[in-house]
Amino acid sequence: EVQLVESGGGLVQPGGSLRVSCAASGFTFSSSWMSWVRQAPGKGLEWVANIKQDGSEKYYADSVRGRFTVSRDNTRNSLSLQMNSLRAEDTAVYYCARSVLPSAAALLQHWGQGSLVIVSS
Amino acid sequence: EIVLTQSPGTLSLSPGERATLSCRASQSVSSRYLAWYQQKPGQAPRLLIYGASSRATGIPDRFSGSGSGTDFTLTISRLESEDFAVYYCQQYGNSPCSFGRGTKLEIK
C-alpha cells in the first residue's frame, strides 16, 4: 500500500523558515516524480513544486520560486520542502503527492494527509 | 499558465440525480491531460479521472469524464450520499500544472 506521511508543519513568524518532510513507502520512491501541493484554509488546490526521480530537475510555482526549495533523499525514501522568507499567504496545508507519469506532468495518484503551516506573528 | 474555470461554483442535487460539472480551460489542454479529483472535508484529494475520460483505479463507473480542447465535463450518473464533496479539475499537460477553483456538490 502506498503511504505518504508529511511532518514538520507548525506556526512560524513572517519572514521565518520551516521545513516540511514526507516519508514515502509502498512503492519505488526513486522511480517517481514527486510534487508538493498546498491548500490555504477554505480555498482550492495550488501546485507548489515538483522534482524528478534523481533530483536533477526541479520546477516551482511563480509564487514560491526563489523562496522554497524541494529536495529528495532516495536512500531514505524522503521528500522535503524548505520554505524561507515565509509570508502570511503561505499559510496552508501542504500535501506531498506522487505522480504516476514518468515525466514532469503531475498526474497525482497518491497523496499524503497533509501538514499545516501557519505563518503568523 | 492555463487558467481553469469550473462551473457551477455550487451544485445542489438529491441522491439518485445526475450531476454534470464543467471545466473550461483558457487555452487548449495538451493531449487531453485533464484530470478530476474529489475532496471531502478534512481529507486529501482523490484522483477520479485522468486523460479526460479514463477512470482511476477503484473509481465506480457512475463517474465519467469527457471533453477535449478547452471544454471538459465530469458526470456522475446517479448520485450516492458519499459523492457529496468538492471536485477539482486539473490540467497537467502544460507547465505549470494548474487546478480549477472547484465545484462544491451539496445535498439538496
Side-chain angles (χ1 to χ4, degrees):
Chain A
E1 179 193 2
V2 172
Q3 283 202 316
L4 298 168
V5 180
E6 298 93 340
S7 60
L11 175 63
V12 61
Q13 292 189 338
S17 298
L18 198 66
R19 186 181 188 92
V20 290
S21 298
C22 172
S25 61
F27 64 101
T28 306
F29 180 74
S30 59
S31 297
S32 297
W33 276 82
M34 298 294 296
S35 284
W36 287 100
V37 176
R38 69 184 180 183
Q39 186 170 36
K43 302 297 184 182
L45 302 169
E46 180 188 16
W47 173 82
V48 172
N50 64 354
I51 183 169
K52 192 177 180 179
Q53 293 90 333
D54 62 0
S56 62
E57 294 181 31
K58 304 174 185 182
Y59 300 96
Y60 299 92
D62 288 346
S63 58
V64 307
R65 187 176 294 112
R67 301 187 298 123
F68 289 12
T69 302
V70 61
S71 62
R72 65 191 297 161
D73 183 343
N74 288 343
T75 65
R76 297 175 184 263
N77 290 347
S78 177
L79 177 73
S80 294
L81 185 68
Q82 176 67 40
M83 302 180 288
N84 299 331
S85 302
L86 282 161
R87 307 165 180 167
E89 55 264 36
D90 296 318
T91 294
V93 173
Y94 284 75
Y95 293 102
C96 154
R98 174 198 180 204
S99 178
V100 291
L101 295 179
S103 68
L107 177 59
L108 304 172
Q109 171 98 48
H110 301 106
W111 298 64
Q113 85 289 349
S115 183
L116 177 61
V117 172
I118 299 173
V119 183
S120 175
S121 55
Chain B
E1 175 180 336
I2 294 180
V3 176
L4 300 177
T5 301
Q6 291 188 242
S7 61
T10 302
L11 185 58
S12 300
L13 293 170
S14 301
E17 291 193 292
R18 180 185 186 90
T20 302
L21 287 66
S22 174
C23 177
R24 178 164 290 178
S26 60
Q27 57 187 279
S28 185
V29 175
S30 302
S31 304
R32 302 178 78 225
Y33 277 9
L34 193 286
W36 290 91
Y37 298 82
Q38 177 194 66
Q39 187 179 32
K40 297 179 180 179
Q43 297 185 16
R46 177 174 72 144
L47 177 65
L48 298 175
I49 300 288
Y50 65 94
S53 60
S54 298
R55 275 187 301 276
T57 304
I59 302 305
D61 60 7
R62 65 180 181 273
F63 291 90
S64 63
S66 63
S68 63
T70 60
D71 289 299
F72 299 87
T73 301
L74 174 70
T75 301
I76 310 171
S77 58
R78 293 173 310 280
L79 285 166
E80 299 193 6
S81 57
E82 62 263 31
D83 298 336
F84 292 93
V86 179
Y87 292 84
Y88 295 95
C89 59
Q90 177 217 17
Q91 68 79 22
Y92 53 96
N94 288 63
S95 182
C97 75
S98 51
F99 292 90
R101 292 191 171 189
T103 290
K104 182 180 181 180
L105 180 56
E106 65 177 24
I107 299 176
K108 188 174 182 179

